[in-house]
Amino acid sequence: MKGLTAFKEKATGVFGGLKPTMEKFEISQSYHGGHGGYEEMEGGEREGRGPGGGHAYDDDDDRPDSPASFEEIERPPLRKIDKYCKAECPCMPARYTIATMACVGFMIAFGMRCNMSAAKLKGEHNGTVFMNWTVAVESHVDSSFFWGYLVTQIPGGFIASKFPANKIFGLSIVSSATLHLFVPFAMTLMHGHVVICVRVLQGLFEGVTYPACHGIWRFWAPPMERSRLATLAFSGSYAGVVVGLPLSGLLADAVGYQAPFYAYGVFGIIWYMFWIWLCFENPRKHPAISIPELKYIEKSLGESAHPTMPSLKTTPWREMMRSMPVYAIIVANFCRSWNFYLLVLFQSSFLKHKFGFKVEEAGFVGSLPHLIMTTIVPFGGMLADHLRKNGILSTTNVRKLFNCGGFGMEGLFFLFVAHSSTATGAMFALTCGVAFSGFAISGYNVNHLDIAPRYASILMGLSNGIGTLAGIIVPYALDGLIQANPTGCWTTVFTLAACVHLIGCTFYGIFASGELQPWAEPPPEEQQVWAPPAGAITNTDPSQAGMVGNYMKETSFGAPEYNEQSQMQQPGAISYGATGHVANNPFAMAAASAPMVEQDAPPSYGEVANTYGYTQGQQPQAGQMPSYDPQSYQQQQQQQ
């Protein structure tokens, strides 16, 4: 038995060593059928050789070669709807389709938050106290959404890490939209206590949206596109206010205070149908994504296809709580949330009480600052990526510049709003201030992905949860002030808002960072799997500062042009195994420049055959293992 065991180990080592010389991709048993997706449909009636009748990748495939890190390219099977309507937006890559759909989802979520202020102004416009609510009840109704929103922020980060983030994001918005349909009826019951409960439930569902969105970008956002993809999605929160304020006022004035709630409830349900059709957990599960885009995303991320997800036990809480860059993000989130919720909840009231605007006029005029901001946010993301990609500024300096510049200018213009005596001057200053704050979104709001991409969704839940406290505090701090002096209180309100922003600007400018933190490094087992070959990280040229072998750090100066074609051609920080004898291996050049170490040549087939008792003229049949001759094997071992 010992001889048989030794034979098996020897055969496994010899024949296993021949595996890398195969230049075609293997198909795993979990493969759902050749190319799968739409490549399977385009194959016509030609019978494929892959499992399930698909067409396996082979040497005569005329498509671009996959990076050697991919043992196979798995394409999921088509759903029934995909056979009639392809799951894609025309002329838009899959990752930007997801960003656009997330943007629309945020528009609906934040538009729903504008409905209550329009309904209350409509009640006041009719000369009655809305629903006969007291000031305390009105404050409870305004802040109740954020009670639930606060609770699920940090748990939302773990939920988005454990379950598919795209499903969590979609379910959170459609659940809140469904509850939104019941808000008008709940407002008529028990003097507002029922509607408080409904809004708490809405907050519980929507609390996971931001962590889930960061969980989506964990798999979909190439490093040099993080800012533009994240800001494109997050701009929906500001576009939601742009559309929500005038639309809510228009519907409330034309139909009734119930109309905005019904409209946005229906919008959310319709959006969810498109979301589950177009959006997927990661590129490998998308049936319509192109092969070049799939390879570009996964190679640029440089992570394993199935990375381990952080859990409550494995999350480095102590190191996270001692990290000043984390506190910089938290403080910035709180300060920005203070001003944002101030405008969402009280901007229409400010225009009506101080300058005498009507309900629908307050909605349309009040949406102008947020409209400008909606265009600034994605532009700021592209500008930030440009500065980083071309080595003009490091990631840390980009984040600080955009965040502090946006916060500082908004605080300055809010001081002008506080002391403005005309509607034109107030709206001009308010528009400029909110517009500049759009640049800050490319600072603190994507900084989680820089300092700890592995824990980005958890950090987003933590920072957004503390930022939500601003949404709870603002109604209680301002409702009584506005009730006591509706016309003259706004100087105090906007001066306080300016001070909050200037404090956030200072704190972030001192403590923020754009570099990966030591406690956020991947676990040792993943580092071992994805480490580059030793020759590739040898750097003897002192002029290549910021370089590790042939690998450019993300924030270093002189970064190469970064696009789908160049990224697929340049080597990534991944171990591909053998380097010299595998065709099209991206590490061949790096290995060629590394110091050569003499190694014994692998045994020829004749030597292997002699080892196991074969003569030179004998060969095993295909698909069979060599027969075992114990006597010949023992003689060979004694000679060695």
Side-chain angles (χ1 to χ4, degrees):
M1 294 299 293
K2 292 183 179 179
L4 181 60
T5 302
F7 158 73
K8 289 182 178 179
E9 294 177 354
K10 189 77 173 179
T12 301
V14 171
F15 289 100
L18 300 176
K19 185 176 180 180
T21 62
M22 300 176 65
E23 295 182 5
K24 65 181 180 180
F25 298 104
E26 296 183 354
I27 307 299
S28 68
Q29 294 181 357
S30 62
Y31 197 32
H32 297 294
H35 298 333
Y38 288 95
E39 288 83 356
E40 188 171 310
M41 291 182 64
E42 295 168 358
E45 297 181 356
R46 181 168 61 93
E47 183 177 359
R49 289 176 282 120
H55 308 289
Y57 285 84
D58 48 28
D59 296 335
D60 58 1
D61 194 346
D62 58 355
R63 289 172 300 172
D65 289 336
S66 170
S69 61
F70 298 163
E71 293 185 358
E72 71 272 346
I73 298 289
E74 296 187 10
R75 305 310 303 273
L78 295 179
R79 303 166 297 181
K80 291 184 178 180
I81 188 175
D82 297 330
K83 298 179 180 179
Y84 302 99
C85 191
K86 198 170 184 179
E88 66 175 5
C89 290
C91 304
M92 186 179 293
R95 60 190 185 278
Y96 284 95
T97 300
I98 292 178
T100 303
M101 289 299 299
C103 175
V104 177
F106 278 119
M107 286 180 64
I108 295 172
F110 279 78
M112 289 190 288
R113 304 182 195 185
C114 302
N115 298 160
M116 186 61 71
S117 61
K120 292 193 299 182
L121 286 177
K122 176 62 178 177
E124 294 175 3
H125 183 68
N126 291 334
T128 60
V129 178
F130 185 69
M131 294 296 172
N132 294 317
W133 290 345
T134 64
V135 175
V137 171
E138 189 172 336
S139 298
H140 293 333
V141 172
D142 286 334
S143 63
S144 57
F145 173 88
F146 301 102
W147 301 347
Y149 194 74
L150 173 64
V151 170
T152 52
Q153 288 293 315
I154 297 178
F158 290 102
I159 294 172
S161 298
K162 187 173 183 180
F163 300 101
N166 65 310
K167 294 182 179 179
I168 299 299
F169 184 81
L171 287 173
S172 66
I173 293 180
V174 72
S175 300
S176 179
T178 303
L179 287 171
H180 208 60
L181 296 171
F182 298 96
V183 170
F185 176 70
M187 286 193 294
T188 63
L189 302 176
M190 299 179 62
H191 303 288
H193 293 88
V194 176
V195 73
I196 289 174
C197 296
V198 174
R199 286 176 62 79
V200 168
L201 289 175
Q202 285 185 281
L204 288 171
F205 282 114
E206 288 194 35
V208 301
T209 51
Y210 270 98
C213 192
H214 267 23
I216 292 172
W217 300 132
R218 173 182 171 86
F219 296 103
W220 278 98
M224 289 299 172
E225 295 184 20
R226 285 173 182 167
S227 297
R228 71 185 71 179
L229 287 170
T231 52
L232 176 58
F234 296 147
S235 65
S237 58
Y238 310 105
V241 179
V242 172
V243 178
L245 285 175
L247 183 59
S248 299
L250 187 63
L251 290 173
D253 190 63
V255 181
Y257 75 89
Q258 304 95 334
F261 299 98
Y262 295 140
Y264 271 90
V266 174
F267 292 161
I269 295 172
I270 295 174
W271 168 87
Y272 180 68
M273 296 178 183
F274 283 91
W275 175 262
I276 59 177
W277 172 43
L278 293 171
C279 302
F280 298 84
E281 179 185 1
N282 58 58
R284 286 285 180 109
K285 295 184 178 180
H286 198 305
I289 190 175
S290 66
I291 295 294
E293 184 182 8
L294 170 63
K295 292 191 289 187
Y296 165 59
I297 293 173
E298 294 201 348
K299 189 168 185 284
S300 65
L301 290 175
E303 295 181 355
S304 61
H306 303 285
T308 57
M309 295 298 182
S311 63
L312 187 64
K313 185 177 180 180
T314 60
T315 300
W317 294 108
R318 179 174 296 181
E319 293 79 4
M320 194 180 293
M321 293 298 101
R322 294 177 178 178
S323 177
M324 293 310 296
V326 171
Y327 284 105
I329 296 174
I330 290 173
V331 170
N333 198 311
F334 179 88
C335 296
R336 180 69 196 108
S337 297
W338 180 282
N339 282 5
F340 179 72
Y341 292 125
L342 165 66
L343 298 178
V344 170
L345 297 174
F346 297 103
Q347 180 176 284
S348 297
S349 180
F350 163 65
L351 295 175
K352 177 187 176 182
H353 290 135
K354 186 165 185 177
F355 299 112
F357 282 66
K358 296 180 180 179
V359 177
E360 63 274 14
E361 292 175 346
F364 278 100
V365 175
S367 66
L368 179 60
H370 302 281
L371 175 62
I372 303 299
M373 183 180 185
T374 303
T375 61
I376 291 293
V377 169
F379 171 75
M382 290 187 290
L383 180 59
D385 282 342
H386 174 78
L387 294 174
R388 296 170 60 229
K389 182 168 63 175
N390 292 280
I392 300 173
L393 290 174
S394 67
T395 302
T396 299
N397 290 334
V398 167
R399 302 304 180 212
K400 289 184 176 182
L401 173 64
F402 278 67
N403 197 87
C404 296
F407 275 20
M409 294 303 295
E410 184 174 21
L412 179 63
F413 278 107
F414 270 32
L415 290 176
F416 288 121
V417 175
H419 297 88
S420 178
S421 58
T422 63
T424 303
M427 284 307 304
F428 175 79
L430 188 63
T431 301
C432 292
V434 174
F436 274 106
S437 69
F439 289 103
I441 306 304
S442 298
Y444 79 93
N445 219 24
V446 296
N447 203 186
H448 319 75
L449 293 166
D450 299 322
I451 66 172
R454 180 180 180 82
Y455 306 102
S457 58
I458 297 172
L459 281 179
M460 187 64 194
L462 177 63
S463 62
N464 209 40
I466 296 177
T468 303
L469 291 174
I472 297 176
I473 297 171
V474 165
Y476 289 105
L478 302 183
D479 270 333
L481 191 64
I482 295 172
Q483 288 282 349
N485 187 6
T487 304
C489 67
W490 300 105
T491 300
T492 303
V493 169
F494 282 100
T495 301
L496 177 61
C499 293
V500 168
H501 250 35
L502 293 175
I503 291 173
C505 171
T506 304
F507 194 92
Y508 191 89
I510 296 174
F511 297 109
S513 173
E515 305 302 324
L516 181 67
Q517 299 301 295
W519 48 266
E521 295 283 354
E525 59 272 14
E526 290 188 17
Q527 289 181 343
Q528 181 177 2
V529 171
W530 297 100
I537 60 175
T538 302
N539 181 21
T540 58
D541 187 356
S543 65
Q544 299 296 324
M547 297 280 288
V548 182
N550 289 331
Y551 302 93
M552 178 75 70
K553 291 184 179 180
E554 178 184 325
T555 56
S556 299
F557 292 88
E561 183 65 24
Y562 202 90
N563 51 43
E564 292 191 15
Q565 287 74 25
S566 64
Q567 174 61 21
M568 288 164 55
Q569 293 170 3
Q570 71 181 23
I574 303 172
S575 175
Y576 295 131
T579 59
H581 62 282
V582 180
N584 299 325
N585 192 293
F587 282 108
M589 184 176 296
S593 63
M596 299 297 293
V597 179
E598 282 194 17
Q599 295 182 354
D600 294 332
S604 64
Y605 182 80
E607 295 172 349
V608 176
N610 290 334
T611 302
Y612 297 106
Y614 280 91
T615 62
Q616 289 291 336
Q618 293 178 325
Q619 290 186 2
Q621 296 181 1
Q624 296 183 354
M625 291 292 294
S627 60
Y628 173 59
D629 184 354
Q631 186 174 4
S632 300
Y633 177 77
Q634 291 175 1
Q635 293 175 0
Q636 293 289 339
Q637 293 294 320
Q638 291 174 1
Q639 292 176 4
Q640 293 177 358

